[in-house]
Amino acid sequence: VVSTQSTGVNGVYSCQLSSVSDHLAMGYGNGDVEVYDVETGEQVSLIQNVCKNFPVTSIRYLNGKGSFLATGPSGKVRLIDLSQEISQWVLQEDNEINCIDVNLDNTYLASVGKKPDVYVYDATTYKLVTVFEGPKGLDDSAEEVLSGHSQRLFVTKFDPMDKFTVMSAGWDSSIKLWDTRTNQVAWSIGGPKVCGEGIDKSGHYLVTASWFVKDALQLWDTRTRKLLSTLKCRTGEDTEFLYCGQFYTQDKVICGGSGIANAKLIDTVENKVVDELKTNLKVMQCLTLSRAKKMFVAAGLGDNATCAVMTT
């Protein structure tokens, strides 16, 4: 376990490992972004005022590249490429952005935030392609809401195996998969109330991390949209209240939040916690991982801005 601490930056609100896992970018509450060398733990760069006077709520490295995008409540998205010394605004959105994501071949960029809409952009020109918005009715045969969200959104994530589909979730207790080819909802799952980057898909399976006092971590089958299991993630804590959850391997999941401030590694087959990253965090706000290097990073809010790296 390797830990780093920074003071006076109001906590870590976002983090992501680069596509080859050599760099770690962290977004702070004061609007700065700091980049570390993963092997040495040394600071590579400090980019100030990426989101001036606002926290950096989301960072995404472009797949296969060393450049990344960063954003926050101002609605601006900044492209940063340290190798070419590029730091420039690429789009301005009339929205308080909570999360962005890029699909597997860097053709689409999606964003979500205060509005109940999912914005999809061309990731090369940064021009708007489509907006998935507003409730428009029910599909009675499917008995699901096949329309847009009704409340604030906290996460959007492209399917890791399908460049045309993107998921979204937030306060309205539903998770939706959108198809950019049809501009429609492909499916919807009701129940999880997501307040951070708390959804992840692996094959036909979906893990959700909700802002619930208990039973917050759940595993779903996306083919049937049925709940497979509620995963046990407490090891003595009174509450769960999760912000983030991701697949670490096909049968292991990592989660954390405010009730559970230490990162927990859960075996989904045995349904138990098999490892734990103990930190001095009061709130685990964000999570990033490298399956190839068997490493994950947990960061968030504490007495200082803290990042802990664990290899398993």
Side-chain angles (χ1 to χ4, degrees), residues 15-19 21 23-25 38 61 288-290 295 297:
C15 61
Q16 198 183 34
L17 289 161
S18 63
S19 58
S21 304
H23 286 163
L24 168 68
V38 172
Y61 273 93
T288 183
L289 57 85
S290 168
M295 171 181 67
V297 179

Side-chain angles (χ1 to χ4, degrees), residues 115-234:
K115 295 182 178 181
D117 305 324
V118 182
Y119 295 82
V120 179
Y121 299 88
D122 183 303
T124 302
T125 65
Y126 299 104
K127 292 183 178 180
L128 185 65
V129 174
T130 191
V131 181
F132 300 123
E133 57 186 356
K136 295 179 181 177
L138 294 171
D139 183 294
D140 295 328
S141 62
E143 296 183 346
E144 349 177 282
V145 177
L146 293 180
S147 59
H149 290 281
S150 60
Q151 296 186 46
R152 180 190 299 259
L153 301 174
F154 282 92
V155 60
T156 183
K157 184 170 285 189
F158 280 95
D159 189 311
M161 300 302 293
D162 183 355
K163 67 179 183 180
F164 296 109
T165 57
V166 60
M167 297 178 292
S168 55
W171 275 356
D172 68 354
S173 300
S174 69
I175 297 166
K176 300 183 187 295
L177 179 77
W178 303 89
D179 193 322
T180 59
R181 293 162 294 192
T182 63
N183 286 346
Q184 293 181 338
V185 178
W187 52 250
S188 180
I189 290 175
K193 186 172 184 177
V194 178
C195 295
E197 293 195 21
I199 60 174
D200 195 29
K201 189 170 180 285
S202 177
H204 295 297
Y205 301 102
L206 175 74
V207 65
T208 59
S210 294
W211 182 250
F212 292 152
V213 63
K214 64 178 182 177
D215 299 334
L217 191 66
Q218 296 180 311
L219 185 67
W220 306 78
D221 189 321
T222 59
R223 293 165 293 188
T224 62
R225 271 81 74 192
K226 299 297 183 181
L227 177 65
L228 295 176
S229 60
T230 297
L231 300 173
K232 298 174 183 177
C233 54
R234 276 191 263 181

Side-chain angles (χ1 to χ4, degrees), residues 25-190:
M26 297 199 297
Y28 294 128
N30 68 346
D32 294 348
V33 171
E34 197 166 18
V35 180
Y36 284 92
D37 184 296
V38 172
E39 295 297 329
T40 66
E42 298 292 326
Q43 184 198 81
V44 175
S45 180
L46 173 64
I47 307 101
Q48 295 180 310
N49 295 322
V50 172
C51 297
K52 189 174 182 180
N53 300 322
F54 292 105
V56 181
T57 56
S58 190
I59 295 173
R60 284 294 183 275
Y61 273 93
L62 298 174
N63 293 314
K65 298 182 179 181
S67 54
F68 62 87
L69 299 166
T71 190
S74 68
K76 295 180 178 180
V77 177
R78 183 182 285 271
L79 172 66
I80 298 169
D81 189 331
L82 299 178
S83 65
Q84 299 187 44
E85 298 184 350
I86 294 174
S87 179
Q88 63 187 34
W89 300 115
V90 291
L91 67 87
Q92 169 71 66
E93 188 174 296
D94 182 23
N95 195 16
E96 295 179 10
I97 300 178
N98 290 323
C99 182
I100 55 175
D101 197 31
V102 179
N103 69 345
L104 59 91
D105 66 352
N106 298 322
T107 53
Y108 288 131
L109 162 70
S111 74
V112 295
K114 183 177 181 180
K115 295 182 178 181
D117 305 324
V118 182
Y119 295 82
V120 179
Y121 299 88
D122 183 303
T124 302
T125 65
Y126 299 104
K127 292 183 178 180
L128 185 65
V129 174
T130 191
V131 181
F132 300 123
E133 57 186 356
K136 295 179 181 177
L138 294 171
D139 183 294
D140 295 328
S141 62
E143 296 183 346
E144 349 177 282
V145 177
L146 293 180
S147 59
H149 290 281
S150 60
Q151 296 186 46
R152 180 190 299 259
L153 301 174
F154 282 92
V155 60
T156 183
K157 184 170 285 189
F158 280 95
D159 189 311
M161 300 302 293
D162 183 355
K163 67 179 183 180
F164 296 109
T165 57
V166 60
M167 297 178 292
S168 55
W171 275 356
D172 68 354
S173 300
S174 69
I175 297 166
K176 300 183 187 295
L177 179 77
W178 303 89
D179 193 322
T180 59
R181 293 162 294 192
T182 63
N183 286 346
Q184 293 181 338
V185 178
W187 52 250
S188 180
I189 290 175

